[in-house]
């Protein structure tokens, strides 16, 4: 049955939309592209190639060397927010994760927990495979995941703001970017 998917997958889109509003007012220090992928959850359990279809397709469009780095936002609206470092992101691009968690600590966003908890199959893997250093910011401990109970009442504006302020600081602080220090 189709479901709302409030946290999985509207929450990330909501933060990108608000970042877009902000960037329309205050131009960021470099071009920023928003990628909204479809068919991330299209697959059949156990058949990895049927998941992440949108980012697979984007990865085939020759994106190597086009970007400094990428950050995927997924499942970041949970009212009981606890965002740990994602395992694949931390093993492949720890410098990007370090930047994100350092900024969160500096801003006092305590829902960013500085430890690794899960490895998550997500769009960042296709971006990385296509040559773009990319991580995912994901709060994977969500009891309503992939159920009809994943509805807006399980999410909170504060959770979205927590991620939004961290991303805003990163976008407007090129001196923090990996490879730029
Ligand atoms: Zn999902």
């Amino acid at each position: 049955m189709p479901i709302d998917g409030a946290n999985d997958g509207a929450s990330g889109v909501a933060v990108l939309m608000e970042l877009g509003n902000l960037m329309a007012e205050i131009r960021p220090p470099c071009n920023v592209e928003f990628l909204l992928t479809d068919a991330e959850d299209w697959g059949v359990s156990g058949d990895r190639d049927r998941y992440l279809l949108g980012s697979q397709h984007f990865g085939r469009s020759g994106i190597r060397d086009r970007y400094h780095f990428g950050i995927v936002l997924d499942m970041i609206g949970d009212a009981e927010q606890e965002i740990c470092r994602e395992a694949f992101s931390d093993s492949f691009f720890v410098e990007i994760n370090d930047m994100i968690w350092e900024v969160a600590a500096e801003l006092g966003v305590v829902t960013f927990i500085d430890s690794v908890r899960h490895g998550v199959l997500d769009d960042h893997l296709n971006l990385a495979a296509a040559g773009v250093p990319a991580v995912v910011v994901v709060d994977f401990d969500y009891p309503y995941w992939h159920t009809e109970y994943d509805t807006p009442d399980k999410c909170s504006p504060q959770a979205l703001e927590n991620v939004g302020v961290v991303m805003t600081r990163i976008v407007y602080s090129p001196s923090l970017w990996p490879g730029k220090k």
Side-chain angles (χ1 to χ4, degrees), residues 19 22 81 98-112 158-173 176:
L19 278 172
L22 179 64
Q81 186 175 66
D98 288 346
M99 170 184 65
I100 296 169
W101 267 260
E102 280 163 22
V103 165
E106 199 190 304
L107 295 174
V109 182
V110 295
T111 55
F112 279 70
Q158 185 59 55
L160 301 175
E161 182 180 330
N162 290 343
V163 174
V165 295
V166 171
M167 293 302 123
T168 301
R169 173 62 63 86
I170 289 169
V171 167
Y172 289 94
S173 313
L176 298 178

Side-chain angles (χ1 to χ4, degrees), residues 54-68:
S55 57
Q56 266 185 47
H57 178 73
F58 183 73
R60 286 193 290 268
S61 66
I63 58 173
R64 184 177 298 279
D65 303 325
R66 200 194 296 175
Y67 304 101
H68 290 297

Side-chain angles (χ1 to χ4, degrees), residues 2-172:
I3 60 173
D4 287 354
N7 189 26
D8 183 8
S11 61
V13 176
V15 170
L16 293 183
M17 290 170 73
E18 196 51 31
L19 278 172
N21 291 334
L22 179 64
M23 290 178 204
E25 285 177 39
I26 308 168
R27 194 172 170 69
C30 85
N31 288 335
V32 175
E33 285 189 2
F34 293 130
L35 172 69
L36 300 171
T37 58
D38 200 354
E40 187 255 4
D41 269 328
W42 196 258
V44 175
S45 189
D47 182 353
R48 194 201 126 139
D49 291 337
R50 299 272 302 278
Y51 284 93
L52 318 176
L53 298 181
S55 57
Q56 266 185 47
H57 178 73
F58 183 73
R60 286 193 290 268
S61 66
I63 58 173
R64 184 177 298 279
D65 303 325
R66 200 194 296 175
Y67 304 101
H68 290 297
F69 59 92
I71 300 175
V72 173
L73 303 181
D74 197 4
M75 297 180 65
I76 50 160
D78 185 356
E80 314 293 325
Q81 186 175 66
E82 276 198 352
I83 306 175
C84 293
R85 293 170 175 247
E86 189 274 326
F88 297 116
S89 305
D90 222 55
S91 51
F92 298 141
F93 303 108
V94 70
E95 68 282 4
I96 304 176
N97 267 3
D98 288 346
M99 170 184 65
I100 296 169
W101 267 260
E102 280 163 22
V103 165
E106 199 190 304
L107 295 174
V109 182
V110 295
T111 55
F112 279 70
I113 314 292
D114 202 355
S115 62
V116 175
R117 192 179 288 173
H118 302 286
V120 181
L121 184 69
D122 213 323
D123 292 316
H124 63 311
L125 299 175
N126 286 327
L127 299 177
V132 177
V135 300
V136 63
V137 172
V138 59
D139 174 1
F140 205 53
D141 297 302
Y142 184 62
Y144 314 107
W145 182 62
H146 287 189
T147 73
E148 67 269 35
Y149 306 109
D150 180 5
T151 46
D153 58 305
K154 310 298 184 324
C155 302
S156 84
Q158 185 59 55
L160 301 175
E161 182 180 330
N162 290 343
V163 174
V165 295
V166 171
M167 293 302 123
T168 301
R169 173 62 63 86
I170 289 169
V171 167
Y172 289 94

